[in-house]
Amino acid sequence: IGFSTPVAPGQLAGMLEGVYIPSFQMLEKWESEKKVTGGFLAAQRAGAIIMEASSAEELSSKMTSLPFWGLLN
């Protein structure tokens, strides 16, 4: 997740509450349902997930439903 410009502290707090935390909660739910596995890469500012999906359309639909999807780079 990256930004091309600095984010103001007040804006960051709203993004944590409205974007990041809900995204990780969704991933946590999918993990508990055994639909996804993954995590952060050691010594990196990156992560990877493996997701079970019956089609490319289902995969796309799930991934784009994550609130932070538009911020991933």
Side-chain angles (χ1 to χ4, degrees):
I1 301 170
F3 301 99
S4 57
T5 59
V7 177
Q11 186 181 12
L12 183 59
M15 291 180 71
L16 283 171
E17 293 175 356
V19 178
Y20 296 106
I21 292 172
S23 294
F24 286 115
Q25 288 172 332
M26 289 174 72
L27 289 168
E28 183 179 43
K29 177 180 179 279
W30 293 340
E31 184 176 36
S32 72
E33 296 170 349
K34 308 275 191 236
K35 298 286 185 183
V36 66
T37 189
F40 294 102
L41 304 175
Q44 301 282 327
R45 291 179 47 190
I49 63 170
I50 298 170
M51 180 177 282
E52 178 184 319
S54 60
S55 66
E57 291 78 18
E58 180 186 5
L59 176 63
S60 178
S61 175
K62 283 187 173 186
M63 293 304 294
T64 58
S65 73
L66 292 167
F68 65 21
W69 177 253
L71 300 175
L72 298 175
N73 61 4

mmCIF file of all heavy atoms in Angstrom, residues 11-32:
data_model
loop_
_atom_site.group_PDB
_atom_site.id
_atom_site.type_symbol
_atom_site.label_atom_id
_atom_site.label_comp_id
_atom_site.label_asym_id
_atom_site.label_seq_id
_atom_site.Cartn_x
_atom_site.Cartn_y
_atom_site.Cartn_z
ATOM 1 N N GLN A 11 -5.907 12.726 8.394
ATOM 2 C CA GLN A 11 -6.434 11.909 7.305
ATOM 3 C C GLN A 11 -6.036 10.450 7.487
ATOM 4 O O GLN A 11 -6.818 9.546 7.201
ATOM 5 C CB GLN A 11 -5.918 12.440 5.963
ATOM 6 C CG GLN A 11 -6.507 11.755 4.761
ATOM 7 C CD GLN A 11 -5.949 12.301 3.455
ATOM 8 O OE1 GLN A 11 -4.965 13.043 3.435
ATOM 9 N NE2 GLN A 11 -6.565 11.918 2.360
ATOM 10 N N LEU A 12 -4.839 10.218 7.992
ATOM 11 C CA LEU A 12 -4.363 8.857 8.198
ATOM 12 C C LEU A 12 -5.223 8.121 9.220
ATOM 13 O O LEU A 12 -5.556 6.951 9.035
ATOM 14 C CB LEU A 12 -2.899 8.855 8.633
ATOM 15 C CG LEU A 12 -2.263 7.488 8.809
ATOM 16 C CD1 LEU A 12 -2.322 6.688 7.515
ATOM 17 C CD2 LEU A 12 -0.827 7.632 9.278
ATOM 18 N N ALA A 13 -5.611 8.804 10.291
ATOM 19 C CA ALA A 13 -6.459 8.180 11.311
ATOM 20 C C ALA A 13 -7.780 7.717 10.693
ATOM 21 O O ALA A 13 -8.243 6.610 10.962
ATOM 22 C CB ALA A 13 -6.715 9.151 12.454
ATOM 23 N N GLY A 14 -8.374 8.539 9.853
ATOM 24 C CA GLY A 14 -9.614 8.161 9.183
ATOM 25 C C GLY A 14 -9.423 6.995 8.237
ATOM 26 O O GLY A 14 -10.292 6.127 8.124
ATOM 27 N N MET A 15 -8.283 6.969 7.554
ATOM 28 C CA MET A 15 -8.004 5.870 6.629
ATOM 29 C C MET A 15 -7.805 4.563 7.392
ATOM 30 O O MET A 15 -8.238 3.510 6.947
ATOM 31 C CB MET A 15 -6.782 6.187 5.773
ATOM 32 C CG MET A 15 -7.033 7.302 4.785
ATOM 33 S SD MET A 15 -5.589 7.673 3.791
ATOM 34 C CE MET A 15 -5.530 6.219 2.776
ATOM 35 N N LEU A 16 -7.142 4.626 8.551
ATOM 36 C CA LEU A 16 -6.966 3.421 9.364
ATOM 37 C C LEU A 16 -8.321 2.850 9.756
ATOM 38 O O LEU A 16 -8.558 1.653 9.620
ATOM 39 C CB LEU A 16 -6.144 3.735 10.618
ATOM 40 C CG LEU A 16 -4.649 3.873 10.424
ATOM 41 C CD1 LEU A 16 -3.992 4.399 11.691
ATOM 42 C CD2 LEU A 16 -4.030 2.558 10.010
ATOM 43 N N GLU A 17 -9.197 3.698 10.245
ATOM 44 C CA GLU A 17 -10.508 3.257 10.718
ATOM 45 C C GLU A 17 -11.447 2.856 9.586
ATOM 46 O O GLU A 17 -12.246 1.937 9.741
ATOM 47 C CB GLU A 17 -11.157 4.355 11.552
ATOM 48 C CG GLU A 17 -10.442 4.612 12.858
ATOM 49 C CD GLU A 17 -11.025 5.780 13.632
ATOM 50 O OE1 GLU A 17 -11.950 6.452 13.129
ATOM 51 O OE2 GLU A 17 -10.544 6.031 14.749
ATOM 52 N N GLY A 18 -11.375 3.561 8.478
ATOM 53 C CA GLY A 18 -12.336 3.333 7.409
ATOM 54 C C GLY A 18 -11.871 2.455 6.260
ATOM 55 O O GLY A 18 -12.688 1.986 5.470
ATOM 56 N N VAL A 19 -10.548 2.240 6.157
ATOM 57 C CA VAL A 19 -10.011 1.507 5.011
ATOM 58 C C VAL A 19 -9.161 0.307 5.445
ATOM 59 O O VAL A 19 -9.461 -0.834 5.098
ATOM 60 C CB VAL A 19 -9.177 2.440 4.095
ATOM 61 C CG1 VAL A 19 -8.573 1.677 2.940
ATOM 62 C CG2 VAL A 19 -10.038 3.585 3.580
ATOM 63 N N TYR A 20 -8.109 0.568 6.191
ATOM 64 C CA TYR A 20 -7.158 -0.500 6.511
ATOM 65 C C TYR A 20 -7.731 -1.541 7.461
ATOM 66 O O TYR A 20 -7.664 -2.739 7.180
ATOM 67 C CB TYR A 20 -5.859 0.074 7.092
ATOM 68 C CG TYR A 20 -5.120 0.929 6.100
ATOM 69 C CD1 TYR A 20 -5.098 2.310 6.223
ATOM 70 C CD2 TYR A 20 -4.466 0.353 5.030
ATOM 71 C CE1 TYR A 20 -4.431 3.100 5.307
ATOM 72 C CE2 TYR A 20 -3.793 1.130 4.105
ATOM 73 C CZ TYR A 20 -3.783 2.507 4.253
ATOM 74 O OH TYR A 20 -3.131 3.271 3.340
ATOM 75 N N ILE A 21 -8.261 -1.106 8.590
ATOM 76 C CA ILE A 21 -8.789 -2.060 9.565
ATOM 77 C C ILE A 21 -9.906 -2.905 8.960
ATOM 78 O O ILE A 21 -9.877 -4.136 9.087
ATOM 79 C CB ILE A 21 -9.205 -1.352 10.866
ATOM 80 C CG1 ILE A 21 -7.953 -0.824 11.574
ATOM 81 C CG2 ILE A 21 -10.001 -2.288 11.778
ATOM 82 C CD1 ILE A 21 -8.213 0.063 12.769
ATOM 83 N N PRO A 22 -10.897 -2.308 8.256
ATOM 84 C CA PRO A 22 -11.926 -3.153 7.634
ATOM 85 C C PRO A 22 -11.359 -4.140 6.603
ATOM 86 O O PRO A 22 -11.841 -5.271 6.499
ATOM 87 C CB PRO A 22 -12.870 -2.146 6.971
ATOM 88 C CG PRO A 22 -12.689 -0.889 7.744
ATOM 89 C CD PRO A 22 -11.233 -0.883 8.137
ATOM 90 N N SER A 23 -10.337 -3.741 5.875
ATOM 91 C CA SER A 23 -9.724 -4.643 4.895
ATOM 92 C C SER A 23 -9.095 -5.845 5.581
ATOM 93 O O SER A 23 -9.294 -6.990 5.167
ATOM 94 C CB SER A 23 -8.662 -3.905 4.078
ATOM 95 O OG SER A 23 -9.249 -2.910 3.269
ATOM 96 N N PHE A 24 -8.332 -5.594 6.641
ATOM 97 C CA PHE A 24 -7.700 -6.700 7.357
ATOM 98 C C PHE A 24 -8.727 -7.563 8.078
ATOM 99 O O PHE A 24 -8.539 -8.773 8.208
ATOM 100 C CB PHE A 24 -6.621 -6.189 8.310
ATOM 101 C CG PHE A 24 -5.384 -5.740 7.574
ATOM 102 C CD1 PHE A 24 -4.997 -4.409 7.588
ATOM 103 C CD2 PHE A 24 -4.612 -6.638 6.857
ATOM 104 C CE1 PHE A 24 -3.864 -3.989 6.900
ATOM 105 C CE2 PHE A 24 -3.476 -6.244 6.165
ATOM 106 C CZ PHE A 24 -3.099 -4.904 6.187
ATOM 107 N N GLN A 25 -9.836 -6.970 8.507
ATOM 108 C CA GLN A 25 -10.909 -7.760 9.118
ATOM 109 C C GLN A 25 -11.539 -8.697 8.095
ATOM 110 O O GLN A 25 -11.863 -9.846 8.411
ATOM 111 C CB GLN A 25 -11.966 -6.846 9.747
ATOM 112 C CG GLN A 25 -11.489 -6.179 11.009
ATOM 113 C CD GLN A 25 -12.444 -5.124 11.533
ATOM 114 O OE1 GLN A 25 -13.192 -4.496 10.785
ATOM 115 N NE2 GLN A 25 -12.402 -4.913 12.845
ATOM 116 N N MET A 26 -11.712 -8.218 6.873
ATOM 117 C CA MET A 26 -12.247 -9.071 5.814
ATOM 118 C C MET A 26 -11.286 -10.223 5.523
ATOM 119 O O MET A 26 -11.713 -11.380 5.396
ATOM 120 C CB MET A 26 -12.501 -8.262 4.529
ATOM 121 C CG MET A 26 -13.668 -7.317 4.627
ATOM 122 S SD MET A 26 -13.846 -6.268 3.167
ATOM 123 C CE MET A 26 -14.444 -7.450 1.978
ATOM 124 N N LEU A 27 -9.994 -9.923 5.423
ATOM 125 C CA LEU A 27 -9.005 -10.973 5.180
ATOM 126 C C LEU A 27 -8.984 -11.974 6.329
ATOM 127 O O LEU A 27 -8.880 -13.182 6.108
ATOM 128 C CB LEU A 27 -7.621 -10.361 4.968
ATOM 129 C CG LEU A 27 -7.435 -9.614 3.652
ATOM 130 C CD1 LEU A 27 -6.143 -8.807 3.676
ATOM 131 C CD2 LEU A 27 -7.466 -10.571 2.473
ATOM 132 N N GLU A 28 -9.108 -11.483 7.553
ATOM 133 C CA GLU A 28 -9.147 -12.362 8.722
ATOM 134 C C GLU A 28 -10.362 -13.295 8.664
ATOM 135 O O GLU A 28 -10.260 -14.487 8.958
ATOM 136 C CB GLU A 28 -9.181 -11.514 9.988
ATOM 137 C CG GLU A 28 -9.149 -12.306 11.267
ATOM 138 C CD GLU A 28 -9.151 -11.411 12.486
ATOM 139 O OE1 GLU A 28 -9.911 -10.423 12.527
ATOM 140 O OE2 GLU A 28 -8.380 -11.719 13.405
ATOM 141 N N LYS A 29 -11.513 -12.756 8.260
ATOM 142 C CA LYS A 29 -12.733 -13.568 8.122
ATOM 143 C C LYS A 29 -12.534 -14.646 7.059
ATOM 144 O O LYS A 29 -12.853 -15.815 7.277
ATOM 145 C CB LYS A 29 -13.919 -12.686 7.753
ATOM 146 C CG LYS A 29 -15.219 -13.429 7.526
ATOM 147 C CD LYS A 29 -16.336 -12.454 7.161
ATOM 148 C CE LYS A 29 -17.640 -13.152 6.905
ATOM 149 N NZ LYS A 29 -17.737 -13.729 5.575
ATOM 150 N N TRP A 30 -11.985 -14.268 5.915
ATOM 151 C CA TRP A 30 -11.745 -15.240 4.845
ATOM 152 C C TRP A 30 -10.743 -16.293 5.286
ATOM 153 O O TRP A 30 -10.866 -17.455 4.920
ATOM 154 C CB TRP A 30 -11.264 -14.542 3.583
ATOM 155 C CG TRP A 30 -12.295 -13.650 2.944
ATOM 156 C CD1 TRP A 30 -13.648 -13.683 3.127
ATOM 157 C CD2 TRP A 30 -12.048 -12.596 2.027
ATOM 158 N NE1 TRP A 30 -14.251 -12.706 2.383
ATOM 159 C CE2 TRP A 30 -13.295 -12.018 1.690
ATOM 160 C CE3 TRP A 30 -10.915 -12.066 1.454
ATOM 161 C CZ2 TRP A 30 -13.424 -10.961 0.802
ATOM 162 C CZ3 TRP A 30 -11.039 -11.003 0.574
ATOM 163 C CH2 TRP A 30 -12.281 -10.464 0.250
ATOM 164 N N GLU A 31 -9.766 -15.886 6.088
ATOM 165 C CA GLU A 31 -8.787 -16.848 6.585
ATOM 166 C C GLU A 31 -9.470 -17.856 7.521
ATOM 167 O O GLU A 31 -9.197 -19.052 7.452
ATOM 168 C CB GLU A 31 -7.649 -16.140 7.305
ATOM 169 C CG GLU A 31 -6.551 -17.080 7.752
ATOM 170 C CD GLU A 31 -5.379 -16.361 8.385
ATOM 171 O OE1 GLU A 31 -5.597 -15.349 9.095
ATOM 172 O OE2 GLU A 31 -4.244 -16.809 8.169
ATOM 173 N N SER A 32 -10.372 -17.376 8.377
ATOM 174 C CA SER A 32 -11.074 -18.286 9.286
ATOM 175 C C SER A 32 -11.984 -19.246 8.529
ATOM 176 O O SER A 32 -12.267 -20.345 8.988
ATOM 177 C CB SER A 32 -11.880 -17.506 10.332
ATOM 178 O OG SER A 32 -13.017 -16.895 9.752
#
